Coordinates of all heavy atoms in Angstrom, one line a residue:
V130 N 43.0 -42.6 59.5 CA 43.3 -41.5 58.5 C 44.2 -40.5 59.2 O 44.0 -40.2 60.4 CB 41.9 -40.8 58.2 CG1 42.2 -39.6 57.3 CG2 41.0 -41.8 57.5
S131 N 45.3 -40.1 58.5 CA 46.2 -39.2 59.1 C 45.6 -37.8 59.1 O 44.7 -37.5 58.3 CB 47.5 -39.1 58.3 OG 47.3 -38.6 57.1
A132 N 46.0 -37.0 60.1 CA 45.4 -35.6 60.2 C 45.7 -34.8 59.0 O 44.9 -34.0 58.6 CB 45.9 -35.0 61.5
S133 N 46.9 -34.9 58.5 CA 47.3 -34.1 57.3 C 46.5 -34.4 56.1 O 46.0 -33.6 55.4 CB 48.8 -34.2 57.0 OG 49.1 -35.6 56.8
F134 N 46.3 -35.8 55.9 CA 45.4 -36.2 54.8 C 44.0 -35.8 55.0 O 43.3 -35.4 54.0 CB 45.5 -37.7 54.7 CG 44.7 -38.3 53.5 CD1 45.2 -38.2 52.2 CD2 43.4 -38.9 53.8 CE1 44.4 -38.7 51.2 CE2 42.7 -39.4 52.7 CZ 43.2 -39.3 51.4
G135 N 43.5 -35.8 56.2 CA 42.1 -35.4 56.5 C 41.9 -33.9 56.2 O 40.9 -33.5 55.7
G136 N 43.0 -33.1 56.6 CA 42.9 -31.7 56.3 C 42.8 -31.4 54.8 O 42.0 -30.5 54.4
D137 N 43.6 -32.1 54.0 CA 43.5 -31.9 52.6 C 42.2 -32.4 52.0 O 41.6 -31.7 51.1 CB 44.7 -32.7 51.9 CG 46.0 -32.2 52.2 OD1 46.1 -31.0 52.6 OD2 47.0 -33.0 52.1
T138 N 41.7 -33.5 52.5 CA 40.4 -34.0 52.1 C 39.3 -33.0 52.4 O 38.4 -32.7 51.6 CB 40.0 -35.3 52.8 OG1 41.1 -36.2 52.5 CG2 38.7 -35.9 52.3
Q139 N 39.3 -32.4 53.6 CA 38.3 -31.4 54.0 C 38.4 -30.2 53.1 O 37.3 -29.7 52.6 CB 38.6 -30.9 55.4 CG 37.6 -29.8 55.9 CD 38.0 -29.3 57.3 OE1 39.1 -29.7 57.8 NE2 37.1 -28.6 57.9
L140 N 39.5 -29.7 52.7 CA 39.7 -28.6 51.8 C 39.1 -28.9 50.5 O 38.3 -28.0 49.9 CB 41.2 -28.2 51.7 CG 41.5 -27.0 50.8 CD1 40.8 -25.7 51.4 CD2 43.0 -26.8 50.7
L141 N 39.4 -30.0 49.9 CA 38.8 -30.4 48.6 C 37.3 -30.6 48.7 O 36.6 -30.1 47.8 CB 39.5 -31.7 48.2 CG 40.9 -31.6 47.7 CD1 41.5 -33.0 47.4 CD2 41.1 -30.7 46.5
A142 N 36.8 -31.2 49.7 CA 35.4 -31.5 49.8 C 34.6 -30.2 49.9 O 33.6 -29.9 49.2 CB 35.1 -32.4 51.0
L143 N 34.9 -29.3 50.9 CA 34.2 -28.1 51.1 C 34.4 -27.1 49.9 O 33.5 -26.4 49.6 CB 34.7 -27.4 52.4 CG 34.4 -28.3 53.7 CD1 34.8 -27.5 54.9 CD2 32.9 -28.6 53.8
G144 N 35.6 -27.2 49.3 CA 35.8 -26.4 48.1 C 34.9 -26.8 47.0 O 34.4 -26.0 46.2
G145 N 34.7 -28.1 46.9 CA 33.7 -28.7 45.9 C 32.3 -28.2 46.1 O 31.6 -27.8 45.1
V146 N 31.9 -28.1 47.4 CA 30.5 -27.6 47.7 C 30.4 -26.1 47.3 O 29.4 -25.7 46.6 CB 30.2 -27.8 49.2 CG1 28.9 -27.1 49.5 CG2 30.1 -29.3 49.5
A147 N 31.5 -25.4 47.6 CA 31.5 -23.9 47.3 C 31.4 -23.7 45.7 O 30.7 -22.9 45.2 CB 32.7 -23.2 47.9
V148 N 32.2 -24.5 45.0 CA 32.3 -24.3 43.5 C 30.9 -24.8 42.9 O 30.4 -24.1 42.0 CB 33.4 -25.2 43.0 CG1 33.3 -25.3 41.5 CG2 34.8 -24.6 43.4
A149 N 30.4 -25.8 43.5 CA 29.1 -26.3 43.0 C 28.0 -25.3 43.2 O 27.2 -25.0 42.3 CB 28.7 -27.6 43.6
F150 N 28.0 -24.6 44.4 CA 27.0 -23.6 44.7 C 27.2 -22.4 43.8 O 26.2 -21.8 43.2 CB 27.0 -23.2 46.1 CG 25.9 -22.4 46.6 CD1 24.7 -22.9 47.0 CD2 26.0 -21.0 46.6 CE1 23.7 -22.1 47.4 CE2 25.0 -20.2 47.0 CZ 23.8 -20.7 47.4
L151 N 28.4 -22.0 43.6 CA 28.7 -20.8 42.7 C 28.3 -21.1 41.3 O 27.7 -20.3 40.6 CB 30.2 -20.5 42.8 CG 30.7 -19.3 42.0 CD1 30.0 -18.0 42.4 CD2 32.2 -19.1 42.1
G152 N 28.7 -22.3 40.8 CA 28.3 -22.7 39.4 C 26.8 -22.7 39.2 O 26.3 -22.3 38.2
M153 N 26.1 -23.2 40.2 CA 24.6 -23.3 40.2 C 24.1 -21.8 40.1 O 23.2 -21.5 39.3 CB 24.1 -24.0 41.4 CG 22.6 -24.0 41.5 SD 21.9 -22.5 42.4 CE 22.6 -22.6 44.0
S154 N 24.6 -20.9 40.9 CA 24.1 -19.5 40.9 C 24.4 -18.9 39.6 O 23.5 -18.2 39.0 CB 24.9 -18.8 42.0 OG 24.7 -19.4 43.3
V155 N 25.6 -19.1 39.0 CA 25.8 -18.5 37.7 C 24.9 -19.0 36.6 O 24.4 -18.3 35.8 CB 27.3 -18.7 37.3 CG1 27.6 -18.3 35.8 CG2 28.3 -18.0 38.2
L156 N 24.6 -20.3 36.6 CA 23.8 -21.0 35.7 C 22.3 -20.4 35.8 O 21.7 -20.1 34.8 CB 23.8 -22.5 35.9 CG 22.8 -23.3 35.0 CD1 23.2 -23.1 33.5 CD2 22.8 -24.8 35.3
V157 N 21.9 -20.3 37.0 CA 20.5 -19.7 37.2 C 20.4 -18.3 36.7 O 19.4 -18.0 36.0 CB 20.1 -19.8 38.7 CG1 18.9 -19.0 39.0 CG2 20.0 -21.3 39.2
F158 N 21.3 -17.5 37.0 CA 21.3 -16.1 36.5 C 21.4 -16.1 35.0 O 20.7 -15.2 34.3 CB 22.4 -15.3 37.1 CG 22.1 -14.7 38.5 CD1 22.3 -15.3 39.6 CD2 21.4 -13.4 38.5 CE1 22.0 -14.8 40.9 CE2 21.1 -12.9 39.8 CZ 21.4 -13.6 40.9
A159 N 22.1 -17.0 34.4 CA 22.2 -17.0 32.9 C 20.9 -17.5 32.3 O 20.5 -17.1 31.2 CB 23.4 -18.0 32.5
M160 N 20.2 -18.4 33.0 CA 18.9 -18.9 32.5 C 17.8 -17.8 32.5 O 17.1 -17.7 31.5 CB 18.5 -20.1 33.3 CG 19.3 -21.4 33.0 SD 18.7 -22.8 34.0 CE 17.0 -22.9 33.3
F161 N 17.7 -17.1 33.7 CA 16.5 -16.2 33.8 C 16.8 -14.8 33.5 O 16.0 -14.0 33.2 CB 16.0 -16.4 35.2 CG 15.4 -17.7 35.5 CD1 16.1 -18.6 36.3 CD2 14.2 -18.1 34.9 CE1 15.6 -19.9 36.6 CE2 13.7 -19.4 35.2 CZ 14.4 -20.3 36.0
R162 N 18.1 -14.4 33.7 CA 18.6 -13.0 33.3 C 17.8 -11.9 34.0 O 17.8 -10.8 33.5 CB 18.6 -12.9 31.8 CG 19.5 -13.9 31.1 CD 19.5 -13.7 29.6 NE 20.4 -14.7 29.0 CZ 20.6 -14.8 27.7 NH1 20.1 -13.8 26.9 NH2 21.4 -15.7 27.2
T163 N 17.1 -12.2 35.0 CA 16.5 -11.2 35.8 C 16.8 -11.4 37.3 O 16.9 -12.6 37.7 CB 14.9 -11.1 35.6 OG1 14.4 -12.5 35.7 CG2 14.6 -10.6 34.3
F164 N 16.9 -10.4 38.1 CA 17.4 -10.5 39.4 C 16.5 -11.3 40.4 O 17.0 -12.3 41.0 CB 17.7 -9.1 40.0 CG 18.3 -9.2 41.4 CD1 19.7 -9.5 41.6 CD2 17.6 -8.9 42.5 CE1 20.2 -9.6 42.8 CE2 18.1 -9.0 43.8 CZ 19.5 -9.3 43.9
V165 N 15.3 -10.9 40.5 CA 14.4 -11.5 41.5 C 14.2 -13.0 41.3 O 14.4 -13.8 42.3 CB 13.1 -10.7 41.6 CG1 12.1 -11.4 42.5 CG2 13.3 -9.3 42.0
P166 N 13.8 -13.5 40.1 CA 13.6 -14.9 40.0 C 14.9 -15.7 40.2 O 14.9 -16.8 40.8 CB 13.1 -15.1 38.5 CG 12.5 -13.8 38.2 CD 13.3 -12.8 38.9
S167 N 16.0 -15.1 39.8 CA 17.3 -15.8 40.0 C 17.7 -15.9 41.5 O 18.1 -16.9 42.0 CB 18.4 -15.1 39.2 OG 18.1 -15.1 37.8
I168 N 17.6 -14.7 42.1 CA 18.0 -14.7 43.5 C 17.1 -15.5 44.4 O 17.5 -16.1 45.4 CB 18.1 -13.2 44.1 CG1 19.0 -13.2 45.3 CG2 16.7 -12.7 44.4 CD1 20.4 -13.5 45.1
A169 N 15.8 -15.7 44.0 CA 14.9 -16.6 44.7 C 15.4 -18.0 44.7 O 15.3 -18.7 45.7 CB 13.5 -16.5 44.1
V170 N 15.9 -18.5 43.6 CA 16.5 -19.8 43.5 C 17.7 -20.0 44.4 O 17.9 -21.0 45.1 CB 16.8 -20.2 42.0 CG1 17.4 -21.6 42.0 CG2 15.5 -20.1 41.2
V171 N 18.6 -19.0 44.3 CA 19.8 -19.0 45.1 C 19.6 -19.0 46.6 O 20.2 -19.8 47.3 CB 20.8 -17.8 44.7 CG1 22.0 -17.8 45.6 CG2 21.1 -18.0 43.2
I172 N 18.7 -18.1 47.0 CA 18.3 -18.1 48.5 C 17.7 -19.4 48.9 O 18.1 -19.9 50.0 CB 17.4 -16.9 48.7 CG1 18.1 -15.6 48.5 CG2 16.9 -16.9 50.2 CD1 17.2 -14.3 48.6
S173 N 16.8 -19.9 48.1 CA 16.2 -21.2 48.5 C 17.2 -22.3 48.6 O 17.2 -23.1 49.6 CB 15.1 -21.6 47.4 OG 14.5 -22.8 47.8
A174 N 18.2 -22.4 47.7 CA 19.2 -23.4 47.7 C 20.1 -23.2 48.9 O 20.5 -24.2 49.6 CB 20.0 -23.4 46.4
F175 N 20.5 -22.0 49.2 CA 21.3 -21.7 50.4 C 20.6 -22.2 51.7 O 21.2 -22.8 52.5 CB 21.6 -20.2 50.5 CG 22.4 -19.8 51.7 CD1 23.7 -20.1 51.8 CD2 21.8 -19.1 52.7 CE1 24.5 -19.7 52.9 CE2 22.5 -18.8 53.9 CZ 23.9 -19.0 53.9
S176 N 19.3 -21.9 51.8 CA 18.6 -22.3 53.0 C 18.4 -23.8 53.1 O 18.5 -24.4 54.2 CB 17.2 -21.6 52.9 OG 16.4 -22.0 54.1
D177 N 18.3 -24.5 51.9 CA 18.2 -25.9 51.9 C 19.5 -26.6 52.4 O 19.5 -27.7 52.9 CB 18.0 -26.4 50.5 CG 16.6 -26.1 50.0 OD1 15.7 -25.7 50.8 OD2 16.3 -26.3 48.8
I178 N 20.6 -25.9 52.3 CA 21.9 -26.4 52.9 C 22.1 -26.0 54.3 O 22.5 -26.8 55.2 CB 23.1 -25.9 52.1 CG1 23.0 -26.4 50.6 CG2 24.4 -26.2 52.7 CD1 24.1 -25.8 49.7
V179 N 21.7 -24.8 54.7 CA 22.0 -24.3 56.0 C 21.1 -25.1 57.1 O 21.6 -25.4 58.2 CB 21.6 -22.8 56.1 CG1 21.5 -22.3 57.6 CG2 22.7 -22.0 55.4
I180 N 19.9 -25.3 56.7 CA 19.0 -26.0 57.7 C 19.4 -27.4 58.1 O 19.6 -27.7 59.3 CB 17.5 -26.0 57.2 CG1 17.0 -24.6 57.1 CG2 16.6 -26.9 58.0 CD1 15.6 -24.4 56.4
P181 N 19.8 -28.3 57.1 CA 20.3 -29.6 57.5 C 21.6 -29.5 58.2 O 21.9 -30.4 59.1 CB 20.3 -30.4 56.2 CG 20.3 -29.4 55.1 CD 19.5 -28.2 55.7
V182 N 22.5 -28.6 57.9 CA 23.7 -28.4 58.6 C 23.5 -28.1 60.1 O 24.2 -28.7 61.0 CB 24.6 -27.4 57.9 CG1 25.8 -27.0 58.8 CG2 25.1 -27.8 56.6
A183 N 22.6 -27.2 60.4 CA 22.2 -26.9 61.7 C 21.7 -28.1 62.5 O 22.0 -28.4 63.6 CB 21.2 -25.8 61.8
L184 N 20.8 -28.9 61.8 CA 20.3 -30.1 62.4 C 21.3 -31.2 62.6 O 21.2 -32.0 63.5 CB 19.1 -30.6 61.5 CG 17.9 -29.8 61.5 CD1 16.9 -30.2 60.4 CD2 17.2 -29.9 62.9
M185 N 22.4 -31.2 61.7 CA 23.5 -32.1 62.0 C 24.1 -31.9 63.3 O 24.5 -32.8 64.0 CB 24.5 -32.0 60.8 CG 24.1 -32.6 59.5 SD 25.2 -32.2 58.2 CE 26.8 -32.8 58.8
N186 N 24.3 -30.6 63.7 CA 24.8 -30.3 65.0 C 23.9 -30.8 66.1 O 24.4 -31.3 67.1 CB 25.1 -28.8 65.1 CG 26.2 -28.3 64.3 OD1 27.2 -29.0 64.0 ND2 26.2 -27.0 63.8

Side-chain angles (χ1 to χ4, degrees):
V130 177
S131 70
S133 58
F134 181 79
D137 293 339
T138 303
Q139 178 185 10
L140 182 63
L141 288 173
L143 297 183
V146 173
V148 170
F150 190 86
L151 179 62
M153 175 274 298
S154 302
V155 172
L156 178 62
V157 168
F158 273 91
M160 287 181 61
F161 295 106
R162 299 184 182 181
T163 47
F164 181 76
V165 174
S167 301
I168 200 65
V170 177
V171 174
I172 292 174
S173 180
F175 177 76
S176 183
D177 288 349
I178 295 175
V179 167
I180 293 172
V182 167
L184 288 169
M185 285 170 60
N186 287 331

